[in-house]
Amino acid sequence: MPNYHFLDNAFWEKDDKTLVKCIRITKLADGREKKDILSIPKFRADGSSNPQFEEVVNALTMEGIDRTHQERLERKVVEKQQAEVIESQNRKANQLEDLFTLKLKAFEIETIKLSTNRHLRSRLRRAQNEIELNAISTLLIGEELGYFTKVEEEDE
């Protein structure tokens, strides 16, 4: 009687079901267990049938391996989607953090800090991206330095 068993989580490494990956737990003499991760081909190098492959298939059944293989594929798809969502969230958070840092730097500029144009300062705080931030900063600085003149609306 073998002193090992296979965990019920084997899967096919090849779609043609000629290579199975499984975990073998071996009971050692001192009572501990040893875990081996095995990739077992269906055929040996000489083309003959591999008895170890047959042993795994007999222990876990083709249907059992197919089931765990399908569960693994589905789990991998979900994990990939979750990783993409997390990556997207991290990227967005980093962009917002960078934009916030740029806004702080913009308000450290004396001309912007001392500006009395509340409308442009407010627009600067609400800027959604770096280009908008730069454009509004340029307008605000240009106005404060007198490069632009305000056009007063006349009553008709």
Side-chain angles (χ1 to χ4, degrees):
M1 174 155 174
N3 60 349
Y4 61 85
H5 67 279
F6 298 100
L7 291 185
D8 187 25
N9 63 352
F11 62 93
W12 304 113
E13 285 193 279
K14 291 186 176 180
D15 290 335
D16 62 0
K17 300 181 183 183
T18 58
L19 185 63
V20 66
K21 190 162 202 161
C22 61
I23 298 174
R24 180 179 63 195
I25 305 294
T26 306
K27 186 86 165 168
L28 301 176
D30 61 3
R32 294 182 301 142
E33 292 183 339
K34 178 183 171 193
K35 179 169 92 170
D36 297 308
I37 300 172
L38 307 172
S39 286
I40 305 171
K42 186 172 186 174
F43 301 105
R44 293 180 179 171
D46 64 2
S48 64
S49 182
N50 186 344
Q52 199 174 23
F53 181 88
E54 296 300 324
E55 182 183 4
V56 171
V57 170
N58 289 336
L60 302 176
T61 73
M62 289 290 271
E63 294 78 19
I65 297 171
D66 287 341
R67 179 183 44 78
T68 56
H69 178 78
Q70 187 61 36
E71 289 170 358
R72 181 178 186 274
L73 290 177
E74 292 167 2
R75 187 177 65 248
K76 292 293 183 181
V77 167
V78 169
E79 288 172 358
K80 182 179 179 186
Q81 291 170 341
Q82 289 173 339
E84 289 171 355
V85 167
I86 290 170
E87 176 63 28
S88 173
Q89 290 171 340
N90 288 341
R91 196 170 39 253
K92 181 70 174 169
N94 288 339
Q95 289 173 346
L96 290 173
E97 188 176 320
D98 292 345
L99 182 61
F100 181 74
T101 302
L102 289 172
K103 288 178 184 181
L104 288 177
K105 287 180 181 181
F107 277 96
E108 290 174 0
I109 299 171
E110 278 304 307
T111 309
I112 294 174
K113 189 188 316 184
L114 300 175
S115 174
T116 57
N117 187 329
R118 292 180 55 187
H119 175 69
L120 282 179
R121 285 173 49 104
S122 174
R123 296 262 325 263
L124 191 61
R125 284 187 195 94
R126 289 183 280 128
Q128 296 294 311
N129 57 54
E130 187 176 350
I131 294 171
E132 185 179 1
L133 179 76
N134 288 336
I136 296 169
S137 296
T138 302
L139 286 173
L140 190 56
I141 292 170
E143 182 183 291
E144 291 298 317
L145 295 176
Y147 293 127
F148 308 115
T149 56
K150 275 189 175 179
V151 176
E152 299 292 326
E153 291 184 24
E154 298 178 15
D155 292 330
E156 292 182 17

